[in-house]
Amino acid sequence: MRSTRFAGVVVIAVLLVLYIVVIGQRAVAFIATGLAVGIAIGVALVVVGLIGLLLLVLELRFGFRITRLATRLEAEGGTPDDEVPLRPSGRVDRAAADALFPKYRDEVEASPEDWRAWFRLGVVYDAAGDRRRARSAMRTALRYA
């Protein structure tokens, strides 16, 4: 399953890079017009392309760092043992995922500087579908790792 996710990340990253290249080509064409409006649009497109590239690099870096932490935690045998049941549609049963939350929240409250506790909390948030809190917990895990 990891190789499928990795392949998906690679495909999306390549498509984003191609998109940024097309934006760059359009920017050059606008700047080449020599008109003030064309130059302004071209410069704006360059800025958008650079922001896109920066965000891509930051997201890939975050993903690789989290993957390394997950591998490390798995090697230690510290990954969550709880399995969240799936609905017939294949989606996570959010109520069951929410029921797991107090256990992992209490673990974080007991050891607030333990990256393992934060990582496990992030996994449970992710299983519950709360991506914002999952990413926040994972960032905290990276800070303490």
Side-chain angles (χ1 to χ4, degrees):
M1 186 150 130
R2 276 190 184 170
S3 62
T4 304
R5 286 184 185 170
F6 183 74
V9 168
V10 169
V11 167
I12 290 172
V14 167
L15 290 174
L16 184 56
V17 168
L18 288 174
Y19 182 72
I20 291 169
V21 167
V22 170
I23 286 176
Q25 290 173 337
R26 299 290 183 212
V28 169
F30 273 113
I31 291 170
T33 64
L35 301 172
V37 172
I39 293 170
I41 291 171
V43 169
L45 287 175
V46 168
V47 170
V48 167
L50 290 174
I51 290 171
L53 190 59
L54 174 65
L55 291 175
L56 175 64
V57 168
L58 291 176
E59 284 300 310
L60 289 175
R61 183 174 173 250
F62 177 76
F64 288 131
R65 291 176 68 205
I66 290 298
T67 300
R68 279 197 306 267
L69 272 189
T71 303
R72 185 172 154 192
L73 190 61
E74 190 175 336
E76 295 175 0
T79 54
D81 294 329
D82 306 307
E83 287 201 23
V84 179
L86 301 177
R87 292 191 222 158
S89 66
R91 300 189 83 192
V92 169
D93 181 353
R94 290 183 89 165
D98 288 342
L100 294 174
F101 174 75
K103 171 184 171 184
Y104 294 100
R105 183 197 57 219
D106 292 345
E107 187 180 320
V108 165
E109 287 174 357
S111 301
E113 293 186 9
D114 181 10
W115 70 267
R116 293 161 188 86
W118 281 103
F119 190 92
R120 286 188 285 268
L121 181 64
V123 169
V124 173
Y125 273 133
D126 187 59
D130 191 341
R131 301 287 187 260
R132 185 183 61 78
R133 286 187 178 153
R135 289 178 69 83
S136 177
M138 292 298 185
R139 281 189 197 98
T140 304
L142 285 170
R143 191 171 8 145
Y144 292 124

